[in-house]
Amino acid sequence: MRKRDLLQMVTGAAAVLAGAAPRSAVAQGGATWAPDRPLRLIVPFAAGGPADIFGRLFAAALARELAQPVVVENRTGAGGVIGHDAVAKAAPDGYTLGITGPGALSIAPALPQQRMPFDVWRDLAHLCLVVRVPEVVVVNARSGPRDLAALIAMARARRGEVTYGSAGIGSITHLASALLATETGMEVTHIPYRGAAPAATDLLAGRFTFMTADVPVLKPHIDSGDMRPLAVTTGHRIASLPEVATTAELGFPRVNSDNWYGLAAPSAIAAPVRQRLEAAAVAALRDPALARGFAQQGGEAAPLTGEDYMSFLRAEAGKWEPLVRQSGAESL
């Protein structure tokens, strides 16, 4: 399905719900929280990208659960930091939620020159994990190595000459390849771009050797035969690329670099409202229709909540911080 068609579909689904009546009221600090206007879901990246596509699919499912509209608002800039900050500073009334991701929550805080206008742990209420988006290592199908072992051998034999592209310094695509290089003993040179799409274009043109990026971004090039997948950097094989081995299967279990998106609200949100929103989000994520929609885009619904989700966030921060420091990146 083309991105434009998908955007029209999920936007239309949310619009149908715009006139729906609220299903229930929730006690808020002794008063009653009676939803009488649309919720706002802030997506910290531009329309048409993976965060936006998954965010719109989720917004439509959440609207069905709450029987009220959920309107997506794209607030871009600073690698997602601006959108996250907008959520942190919103009124804590249950009407503003935000899609979160590793760039602003796990990577940016470790960058020495990155201005952080909010505190990841103090200013946001982290409600749940929404979707995992597997990453895939690819090369140019015409000129690249045949498999991961050949790429590693090439990089070890020609130290510094093998290059990899990314969506930008400090991005998940940068650090995923840096993690692969660290764990496999490759000495490679980073070529940053302003986004995954231009990087993919240059890989197709043969301007660098390999890249690691979200499956939804690269799968069209894999399906066309222009890119060759060498491995998925997730803990298990994925439905959209079932024939591609994981890095763990190939001998590198510590190379696990899923991208992911979560759901957050302002930290001062009242407990009953938070509980209602968490319950609605989990119910939406367990809807088979949403799971199918995510799968069509290469994602996996992941309704992780509570202390399990907080443990996941802490583990992500711990995983990426040393790589950020080794990379020499200073800001997003």
Side-chain angles (χ1 to χ4, degrees):
M1 180 181 293
R2 294 179 303 173
K3 284 183 179 178
R4 185 180 65 186
D5 296 336
L6 176 65
L7 287 172
Q8 290 174 343
M9 179 187 73
V10 297
T11 301
V16 167
L17 289 160
R23 183 175 296 170
S24 63
V26 180
Q28 180 178 1
T32 299
W33 185 58
D36 59 1
R37 63 185 186 274
L39 275 76
R40 178 174 58 145
L41 180 68
I42 294 177
V43 173
F45 295 98
D52 180 68
I53 290 172
F54 289 117
R56 289 177 187 274
L57 287 167
F58 174 68
L62 183 62
R64 288 192 293 272
E65 286 299 321
L66 293 172
Q68 59 189 3
V70 178
V71 179
V72 171
E73 178 182 324
N74 299 92
R75 294 285 292 274
T76 65
V81 170
I82 288 174
H84 286 68
D85 186 48
V87 177
K89 290 181 170 55
D93 56 9
Y95 287 100
T96 298
L97 302 172
I99 293 294
T100 60
L105 296 188
S106 307
I107 296 171
L111 294 165
Q113 299 299 319
Q114 178 67 49
R115 178 180 174 273
M116 289 296 293
F118 67 95
D119 185 281
V120 168
W121 309 109
R122 186 188 64 231
D123 297 332
L124 289 169
H126 300 286
L127 305 186
C128 68
L129 187 62
V130 172
V131 61
R132 290 178 180 268
V133 188
E135 304 277 292
V136 60
V137 184
V138 296
V139 296
N140 186 304
R142 292 183 297 277
S143 59
R146 298 297 307 175
D147 52 33
L148 186 63
L151 174 64
I152 294 168
M154 177 192 295
R156 289 173 176 172
R158 297 160 45 190
R159 295 190 174 273
E161 295 180 22
V162 171
T163 53
Y164 70 93
S166 80
I169 293 173
S171 67
I172 192 75
T173 59
H174 171 197
L175 297 180
S177 288
L179 177 62
L180 177 66
T182 297
E183 293 296 323
T184 59
M186 295 192 295
E187 186 174 313
V188 292
T189 300
H190 178 215
I191 302 177
Y193 287 79
R194 297 180 69 87
T201 298
D202 268 13
L203 178 60
L204 293 172
R207 295 191 174 96
F208 58 85
T209 313
F210 75 97
M211 71 181 292
T212 309
D214 290 7
V215 167
V217 174
L218 300 179
K219 193 169 186 301
H221 303 298
I222 295 171
D223 290 344
S224 69
D226 293 323
M227 289 185 184
R228 179 182 302 117
L230 305 186
V232 289
T233 62
T234 191
H236 57 273
R237 293 200 184 199
I238 60 174
S240 56
L241 293 172
E243 73 287 354
V244 180
T246 69
T247 42
E249 289 178 279
L250 297 173
F252 305 100
R254 287 164 52 106
V255 180
N256 190 318
S257 56
D258 285 352
N259 199 356
W260 52 267
Y261 299 108
L263 183 69
S267 61
I269 188 171
V273 180
R274 173 176 180 156
Q275 291 164 6
R276 171 70 178 117
L277 292 170
E278 282 182 353
V282 169
L285 291 167
R286 288 178 176 160
D287 182 346
L290 180 60
R292 286 193 297 272
F294 279 179
Q296 287 171 358
Q297 300 303 312
E300 301 175 347
L304 196 65
T305 61
E307 185 53 38
D308 289 338
Y309 182 40
M310 295 305 294
S311 296
F312 168 82
L313 292 177
R314 288 190 287 267
E316 283 290 291
K319 176 174 71 177
W320 294 122
E321 182 175 357
L323 278 168
V324 169
R325 302 200 184 284
Q326 293 172 22
S327 74
E330 295 189 345
S331 65
L332 294 176

